[in-house]
Amino acid sequence: MSLTVAELLVATLDEIGAHQVFGIVGDALNPFTDAIRRQDKVRWIGVRHEEGAALAAAGQAKVTGRLGVCCGTTGPGANHLVAGLYEARKDHAPVLAISGGVATAKRGSDYLQEDDPVALFRDVGVYSEIIASPDQAAAVIQQAIAHAYGERGVAHISIPPEVFAAKVSAPVPSIATLRPRPEIAPAPTDIAALAQMIGEAKTVAVLCGFGCHGAAEELKALSDRLNAPLMHTYRGKDILPYDDPRWIGGIGLIGGRPGVDALHKADLMLMLGTDYPYSEFLPTKTCVVQIDERAFALGRRTPVALGIVGSVRPALRMLLDALPQRSDTAFLDTVNADRAKWDAMLDEKAALDRTPDILHPQAVARAVSDRAAEDAVWVTDTGEVTLWAANWLRQSGRQQITGSFNNAAVGTGMGIANGVQALDTARQVILHAGDGGFTMLLGEFMTAVEHKLPVKVVVYDNSAWGLVHLEMEGAGVPPSEGASFPNLDFAAFAQACGARGFTARKPHELTVAVDAWLAEPGPAILHAVVNPDEIPAMPHIDPGQALRFGISKVKQAFGALTRRN
C-alpha cells in the first residue's frame, strides 16, 4: 500500500464515520495532523486543554453511542487526556484516544517527556498499545476500535512520529465489524419466569435506567398493561416527557419522594437497564428482578430474586406477549397523587415571586427549562447545580440529557458540551454549570468561541462548592474556608472572549436575561447570582441528618460570634 500509518488511521476513521478529532497539536503528532489537513472528511478540532478534548470525545460517544476520538501529544499532552477519558470509562462510551510517542530510538533513555503510555492508560482503557512498527498498524487500529465498541470503553494507541510517517503494508481488516454492539435477546425461560413472578405480585414498580433508551414505546405499553408506575434514574430521565402520567420521576437526591416511596411499597420492582449505585434509596424488602446486558451488573446494588441477561427492548417485547391486562389502578393512582403534591412543591420553590430580592437556583433552572428548544441537549456539570438542573427540568421527551453521571466529576461540562455541539451546530445545547466547576476548564469556552459552537452556558454563582458545603453540614461539620471562594464576572468574561454575556441577580431580571441569552446565535454565558443558602429538596430526611445539620448551623453561628468578639 502507498499509505502512511497516519493516512491509514485517518482513512479508517472516515470509513467508520468518525469525522471529528479533538486535540492539541504537537510535534509527535505532525504526520497525523498533516494527514488530516490533506483531506476534507475528517476534521481536526483544536481545544485549549487536552482534558477538554477527551471530554468532547466522550460527550459525543455518550449521546450517539458511536466512536468519539481525541488526541494528545507525547508525555504531558497525552497525560492530560486521562482525567477526561474517565467519563467514557465510567459511562461505558466508545472512545479512541490517540497519543504521540517518543521516537522509538529514544525510548528507555529517560528522554524528554518520556513515560509509559501503555501503563498510563491501562486503568482508564479497555485496550492500550504502542504501534512500534508500521507492520503492526492495521491490526492494532482494528483491535483498538473493536475493543472500544465491543467493551464500550476507551481504547488507546500510542504512535511514535517515525511510525506515523512510515508506509503500511496492509489495510485495516474487517472494517465492517467496527460498529456499536447490537441488542441482546434474553433467554425465553427467564422471561417466562418473570411473567410468573409478575402474575403473583399485586403491585409492580419499574425503575428505568440508561439501558431503556430506545424502548419508550415498550415501557409505556408495560406500564399500561400492569398499571405500574415508571421511575427513572437521572440517565433515563429524558426517555419520556415530564408530563407523561406513567413517568413518576426520579429517585434519590436527583428525584423525589414519590418515586422512592413507590419502589418501597411495591410487591415487585423491575430494574431495567440500570446499575443505580445509591443502594440506600433502593428497597430492601421488595422482591427485585433486574434486566441488564451485563451479567456482572446483576444483583450488585441490591439483592435480586431473578437476574436476566438481555437488552431492555427485546426483553419487554417478549414479556408483553405473556402478560394479561390488569384493571386495578389503585397503586398507580396513589403514586400519581403523591407526585402531584411533590410537583406542587417544586413549582412553589421555582416561583419567581417567592422572594422579591433573592434569585433562587430553582427559578433559574425552571426558567431555562421552559424556554429551551423542544429538541435541546442538556449538559449538566457536577455538584449542587446537578440537583437544581435535574429536579426542576421539565423535559419534552425529544430532548437529551448528558453529563458526568457515574464519574461525577466537577468541571467536565464545558468539554462535554463542546463535543455534543460539534455534532450539530443547529441543535441547541445548554450547559448548567456551577461557578466552581465552570472555572476549572474556563479555557474550553474559548474552544466554543473559536469553532463557532453556539453552546449556551448558565453559571450558577453561589461563591461556594455548594454540594461539599451541604455534605459538611450533613455530617455536622461547619464548612471550612476552602468551601467558599470569590468569583469573576462571568458575563464580562464572555464578552472578553468575543461572545455575549448576560447577568441576572434578582428575580425580575431573570426572564429577560434568559430570553436574550437563548436568542444569541453564538456561544453565550448567563451569569446567575443565586441564593447561596438554598437547601435542595430531599426525598426523606432522617432525624440524624436533621440533627447533624442543626449542629453544623450552631457551630457556624458560634464561630461567627467568636470571630466578631
PDB file of all heavy atoms in Angstrom, residues 256-270:
ATOM      1  N   GLY A 256     -37.253  12.381  43.669  1.00  0.00           N
ATOM      2  CA  GLY A 256     -38.186  12.857  44.679  1.00  0.00           C
ATOM      3  C   GLY A 256     -38.786  11.741  45.504  1.00  0.00           C
ATOM      4  O   GLY A 256     -38.559  10.551  45.248  1.00  0.00           O
ATOM      5  N   ARG A 257     -39.578  12.129  46.472  1.00  0.00           N
ATOM      6  CA  ARG A 257     -40.199  11.190  47.390  1.00  0.00           C
ATOM      7  C   ARG A 257     -41.166  10.232  46.718  1.00  0.00           C
ATOM      8  O   ARG A 257     -41.187   9.036  47.057  1.00  0.00           O
ATOM      9  CB  ARG A 257     -40.916  11.963  48.500  1.00  0.00           C
ATOM     10  CG  ARG A 257     -41.465  11.074  49.605  1.00  0.00           C
ATOM     11  CD  ARG A 257     -42.206  11.900  50.662  1.00  0.00           C
ATOM     12  NE  ARG A 257     -41.326  12.917  51.200  1.00  0.00           N
ATOM     13  CZ  ARG A 257     -41.665  14.202  51.344  1.00  0.00           C
ATOM     14  NH1 ARG A 257     -42.852  14.613  50.937  1.00  0.00           N
ATOM     15  NH2 ARG A 257     -40.823  15.057  51.862  1.00  0.00           N
ATOM     16  N   PRO A 258     -41.996  10.673  45.747  1.00  0.00           N
ATOM     17  CA  PRO A 258     -42.959   9.736  45.166  1.00  0.00           C
ATOM     18  C   PRO A 258     -42.291   8.514  44.536  1.00  0.00           C
ATOM     19  O   PRO A 258     -42.775   7.390  44.688  1.00  0.00           O
ATOM     20  CB  PRO A 258     -43.670  10.584  44.104  1.00  0.00           C
ATOM     21  CG  PRO A 258     -43.526  11.983  44.574  1.00  0.00           C
ATOM     22  CD  PRO A 258     -42.186  12.044  45.226  1.00  0.00           C
ATOM     23  N   GLY A 259     -41.182   8.707  43.830  1.00  0.00           N
ATOM     24  CA  GLY A 259     -40.505   7.584  43.206  1.00  0.00           C
ATOM     25  C   GLY A 259     -39.901   6.624  44.207  1.00  0.00           C
ATOM     26  O   GLY A 259     -40.018   5.398  44.076  1.00  0.00           O
ATOM     27  N   VAL A 260     -39.241   7.182  45.224  1.00  0.00           N
ATOM     28  CA  VAL A 260     -38.631   6.344  46.265  1.00  0.00           C
ATOM     29  C   VAL A 260     -39.700   5.532  46.977  1.00  0.00           C
ATOM     30  O   VAL A 260     -39.568   4.316  47.187  1.00  0.00           O
ATOM     31  CB  VAL A 260     -37.840   7.211  47.258  1.00  0.00           C
ATOM     32  CG1 VAL A 260     -37.335   6.365  48.424  1.00  0.00           C
ATOM     33  CG2 VAL A 260     -36.664   7.890  46.565  1.00  0.00           C
ATOM     34  N   ASP A 261     -40.797   6.201  47.356  1.00  0.00           N
ATOM     35  CA  ASP A 261     -41.868   5.514  48.094  1.00  0.00           C
ATOM     36  C   ASP A 261     -42.528   4.431  47.245  1.00  0.00           C
ATOM     37  O   ASP A 261     -42.869   3.350  47.756  1.00  0.00           O
ATOM     38  CB  ASP A 261     -42.920   6.531  48.547  1.00  0.00           C
ATOM     39  CG  ASP A 261     -42.418   7.422  49.676  1.00  0.00           C
ATOM     40  OD1 ASP A 261     -41.313   7.155  50.201  1.00  0.00           O
ATOM     41  OD2 ASP A 261     -43.116   8.387  50.024  1.00  0.00           O
ATOM     42  N   ALA A 262     -42.711   4.691  45.957  1.00  0.00           N
ATOM     43  CA  ALA A 262     -43.349   3.692  45.083  1.00  0.00           C
ATOM     44  C   ALA A 262     -42.519   2.424  45.011  1.00  0.00           C
ATOM     45  O   ALA A 262     -43.055   1.306  45.064  1.00  0.00           O
ATOM     46  CB  ALA A 262     -43.562   4.279  43.693  1.00  0.00           C
ATOM     47  N   LEU A 263     -41.203   2.564  44.905  1.00  0.00           N
ATOM     48  CA  LEU A 263     -40.340   1.386  44.846  1.00  0.00           C
ATOM     49  C   LEU A 263     -40.430   0.579  46.134  1.00  0.00           C
ATOM     50  O   LEU A 263     -40.434  -0.652  46.114  1.00  0.00           O
ATOM     51  CB  LEU A 263     -38.892   1.803  44.586  1.00  0.00           C
ATOM     52  CG  LEU A 263     -38.582   2.462  43.235  1.00  0.00           C
ATOM     53  CD1 LEU A 263     -37.096   2.767  43.132  1.00  0.00           C
ATOM     54  CD2 LEU A 263     -39.025   1.585  42.072  1.00  0.00           C
ATOM     55  N   HIS A 264     -40.493   1.263  47.255  1.00  0.00           N
ATOM     56  CA  HIS A 264     -40.520   0.578  48.555  1.00  0.00           C
ATOM     57  C   HIS A 264     -41.873  -0.072  48.836  1.00  0.00           C
ATOM     58  O   HIS A 264     -41.941  -1.076  49.557  1.00  0.00           O
ATOM     59  CB  HIS A 264     -40.163   1.559  49.668  1.00  0.00           C
ATOM     60  CG  HIS A 264     -38.695   1.848  49.767  1.00  0.00           C
ATOM     61  ND1 HIS A 264     -37.866   1.203  50.663  1.00  0.00           N
ATOM     62  CD2 HIS A 264     -37.899   2.692  49.063  1.00  0.00           C
ATOM     63  CE1 HIS A 264     -36.619   1.648  50.510  1.00  0.00           C
ATOM     64  NE2 HIS A 264     -36.620   2.552  49.551  1.00  0.00           N
ATOM     65  N   LYS A 265     -42.935   0.476  48.289  1.00  0.00           N
ATOM     66  CA  LYS A 265     -44.273  -0.040  48.589  1.00  0.00           C
ATOM     67  C   LYS A 265     -44.721  -1.147  47.631  1.00  0.00           C
ATOM     68  O   LYS A 265     -45.678  -1.878  47.935  1.00  0.00           O
ATOM     69  CB  LYS A 265     -45.292   1.105  48.551  1.00  0.00           C
ATOM     70  CG  LYS A 265     -45.109   2.108  49.687  1.00  0.00           C
ATOM     71  CD  LYS A 265     -46.087   3.276  49.560  1.00  0.00           C
ATOM     72  CE  LYS A 265     -45.895   4.277  50.694  1.00  0.00           C
ATOM     73  NZ  LYS A 265     -46.799   5.456  50.551  1.00  0.00           N
ATOM     74  N   ALA A 266     -44.063  -1.287  46.502  1.00  0.00           N
ATOM     75  CA  ALA A 266     -44.472  -2.301  45.522  1.00  0.00           C
ATOM     76  C   ALA A 266     -44.112  -3.700  46.004  1.00  0.00           C
ATOM     77  O   ALA A 266     -43.148  -3.901  46.739  1.00  0.00           O
ATOM     78  CB  ALA A 266     -43.802  -2.019  44.181  1.00  0.00           C
ATOM     79  N   ASP A 267     -44.897  -4.675  45.554  1.00  0.00           N
ATOM     80  CA  ASP A 267     -44.564  -6.077  45.835  1.00  0.00           C
ATOM     81  C   ASP A 267     -43.362  -6.537  45.008  1.00  0.00           C
ATOM     82  O   ASP A 267     -42.561  -7.348  45.462  1.00  0.00           O
ATOM     83  CB  ASP A 267     -45.762  -6.976  45.512  1.00  0.00           C
ATOM     84  CG  ASP A 267     -46.959  -6.681  46.394  1.00  0.00           C
ATOM     85  OD1 ASP A 267     -46.755  -6.311  47.566  1.00  0.00           O
ATOM     86  OD2 ASP A 267     -48.097  -6.813  45.895  1.00  0.00           O
ATOM     87  N   LEU A 268     -43.260  -6.004  43.778  1.00  0.00           N
ATOM     88  CA  LEU A 268     -42.204  -6.416  42.862  1.00  0.00           C
ATOM     89  C   LEU A 268     -41.633  -5.188  42.179  1.00  0.00           C
ATOM     90  O   LEU A 268     -42.369  -4.328  41.682  1.00  0.00           O
ATOM     91  CB  LEU A 268     -42.773  -7.372  41.802  1.00  0.00           C
ATOM     92  CG  LEU A 268     -41.819  -7.844  40.707  1.00  0.00           C
ATOM     93  CD1 LEU A 268     -40.708  -8.718  41.288  1.00  0.00           C
ATOM     94  CD2 LEU A 268     -42.583  -8.612  39.620  1.00  0.00           C
ATOM     95  N   MET A 269     -40.295  -5.083  42.158  1.00  0.00           N
ATOM     96  CA  MET A 269     -39.633  -3.999  41.450  1.00  0.00           C
ATOM     97  C   MET A 269     -38.845  -4.566  40.278  1.00  0.00           C
ATOM     98  O   MET A 269     -38.080  -5.527  40.440  1.00  0.00           O
ATOM     99  CB  MET A 269     -38.678  -3.223  42.361  1.00  0.00           C
ATOM    100  CG  MET A 269     -37.941  -2.094  41.636  1.00  0.00           C
ATOM    101  SD  MET A 269     -36.821  -1.130  42.674  1.00  0.00           S
ATOM    102  CE  MET A 269     -35.389  -2.192  42.712  1.00  0.00           C
ATOM    103  N   LEU A 270     -39.025  -3.953  39.112  1.00  0.00           N
ATOM    104  CA  LEU A 270     -38.231  -4.303  37.941  1.00  0.00           C
ATOM    105  C   LEU A 270     -37.154  -3.244  37.757  1.00  0.00           C
ATOM    106  O   LEU A 270     -37.462  -2.051  37.628  1.00  0.00           O
ATOM    107  CB  LEU A 270     -39.103  -4.365  36.686  1.00  0.00           C
ATOM    108  CG  LEU A 270     -40.338  -5.275  36.723  1.00  0.00           C
ATOM    109  CD1 LEU A 270     -41.018  -5.274  35.354  1.00  0.00           C
ATOM    110  CD2 LEU A 270     -39.959  -6.678  37.133  1.00  0.00           C
TER     111      LEU A 270
END
